[in-house]
Amino acid sequence: MKVSSRSFTLGLVTAWYSSNIGVLLLNKYLLSNYGFRYPIFLTLCHMLACSLFSYIAINWFKLAPLQTLRSRLQFLKISALSLIFCLSVVAGNVSLRYLPVSFTQAVGATTPFFTAVFACFMTSKKESWLTYLALVPVVTGVIIATGGEPSFHLFGFIMCVGATAARALKSVLQGILLSSEAEKLNSMNLLMYMAPVAVIFLLVAALVMEENVVGITIALARDDVKILWYLIFNSALAYFVNLTNFLVTKHTSALTLQVLGNAKGAVAVVISILIFRNPVSVVGMLGYILTVIGVVLYSEAKKRSR
């Protein structure tokens, strides 16, 4: 039984790593190398898949207990979270058009910094001085990595920072808006309710900002049918990221997921450099390593302060 349990957990962790890194690299390939320059439509495809598969996973396969919405106010709160979630994902996808994966991972590692800032201003929650001190190498590392990035692009950098900040804002807001026990939802149910709302936001945005994107995609598919398979596989993978997040946390712990997340960024950087052959500098890599060290120190400081 122990061997079987360990094998199952190892399989989950492997699936989590593969889906997380896979969707990141495929997004980069589609938006940058392949030339599919429609990040809003790509995110719309992701949310359509999340809407469908979340419903099937909860209502058909019972992978998580169904939690119903209790009020219109709760729905409005989830809609607000969904809007911020859309902004973070779209901005992250836009940044991949202009920046290498290695650099976006370095910037993305500063999420704890933005989380601490938002928590301080929005909830008046103060951390220990040791926790704030651990954020110094996080920010310093990104500054160093920015100065040493051969493929630096200002607009891509702004989008990447915006995506990171929006991700942190959603995390803090989720704790504020869904703080009561009656309104708390597990990640699977939250995704099931957020994704359809996100589809509406993204559909409007795609129609306005990416004119005739459906017609263009169909035309692309006539020339190269692989684009359809890329979009379908990428969208399914985007849902699988959320599913494996939930399952790894359920069968291990949130702390395990945090540790895996710290290592995932480094693995993604190495794989992306091997695949896309983007130039890297010693200064840039040292900056990224310093950021990762800061994130690990921040996690340890948070644990000690509890």
Side-chain angles (χ1 to χ4, degrees):
M1 287 294 289
K2 284 186 178 180
V3 174
S4 178
S5 178
R6 285 176 184 172
S7 299
F8 178 73
T9 303
L10 182 61
L12 278 180
V13 170
T14 303
W16 181 85
Y17 262 101
S18 302
S19 57
N20 270 272
I21 296 173
V23 76
L24 177 66
L25 297 180
L26 192 49
N27 283 347
K28 173 64 178 175
Y29 173 75
L30 284 170
L31 293 166
S32 184
N33 298 63
Y34 187 88
F36 186 78
R37 305 188 184 281
Y38 304 99
I40 298 175
F41 182 74
L42 180 63
T43 311
L44 173 61
C45 292
H46 289 180
M47 291 301 104
L48 281 168
C50 287
S51 300
L52 175 63
F53 293 137
S54 291
Y55 181 85
I56 292 172
I58 292 174
N59 290 279
W60 293 7
F61 292 105
K62 312 295 183 185
L63 291 181
L66 175 64
Q67 296 171 286
T68 56
L69 297 185
R70 296 175 178 271
S71 65
R72 183 180 295 178
L73 179 60
Q74 188 184 13
F75 173 74
L76 291 174
K77 290 176 179 179
I78 289 172
S79 298
L81 291 174
S82 182
L83 178 59
I84 296 169
F85 179 61
C86 287
L87 292 173
S88 70
V89 177
V90 169
N93 284 338
V94 170
S95 71
L96 286 171
R97 279 185 58 187
Y98 302 99
L99 298 172
V101 171
S102 52
F103 186 58
T104 62
Q105 289 297 289
V107 176
T110 61
T111 301
F113 167 76
F114 289 103
T115 303
V117 171
F118 286 131
C120 181
F121 283 102
M122 297 173 68
T123 67
S124 299
K125 181 183 177 183
K126 299 292 191 297
E127 302 287 354
S128 67
W129 67 270
L130 199 60
T131 303
Y132 288 122
L133 188 64
L135 291 172
V136 173
V138 172
V139 178
T140 305
V142 169
I143 293 171
I144 294 171
T146 301
E149 175 52 51
S151 306
F152 181 80
H153 189 284
L154 181 59
F155 179 70
F157 176 69
I158 292 170
M159 287 293 100
C160 195
V161 171
T164 306
R167 196 158 52 240
L169 178 60
K170 175 189 168 288
S171 175
V172 175
L173 270 180
Q174 187 173 324
I176 297 170
L177 297 179
L178 303 178
S179 57
S180 71
E181 288 300 322
E183 290 185 327
K184 280 184 180 177
L185 299 170
N186 64 45
S187 60
M188 292 282 282
N189 277 270
L190 184 60
L191 181 66
M192 184 178 71
Y193 292 120
M194 277 177 46
V197 178
V199 166
I200 296 170
F201 288 140
L202 292 166
L203 182 60
V204 173
L207 291 173
V208 173
M209 301 174 71
E210 296 178 341
E211 191 175 350
N212 195 31
V213 64
V214 176
I216 292 169
T217 304
I218 292 171
L220 283 172
R222 289 197 183 109
D223 295 332
D224 183 11
V225 74
K226 284 189 294 184
I227 183 63
L228 288 181
W229 292 112
Y230 284 145
L231 289 174
I232 291 169
F233 179 68
N234 192 24
S235 300
L237 206 56
Y239 170 72
F240 203 59
V241 168
N242 292 281
L243 176 62
T244 52
N245 268 347
F246 173 78
L247 292 176
V248 168
T249 305
K250 179 181 177 181
H251 290 278
T252 56
S253 67
L255 178 61
T256 300
L257 191 66
Q258 189 178 50
V259 172
L260 292 172
N262 292 339
K264 182 209 72 177
V267 175
V269 166
V270 173
I271 294 175
S272 71
I273 291 171
L274 292 174
I275 292 175
F276 298 112
R277 305 285 181 180
N278 57 281
V280 292
S281 67
V282 175
V283 174
M285 288 309 296
L286 287 175
Y288 177 68
I289 291 169
L290 182 59
T291 298
V292 172
I293 291 171
V295 171
V296 173
L297 291 175
Y298 173 81
S299 301
E300 288 298 315
K302 287 277 286 182
K303 277 194 295 181
R304 290 185 181 185
S305 64
R306 283 172 186 165

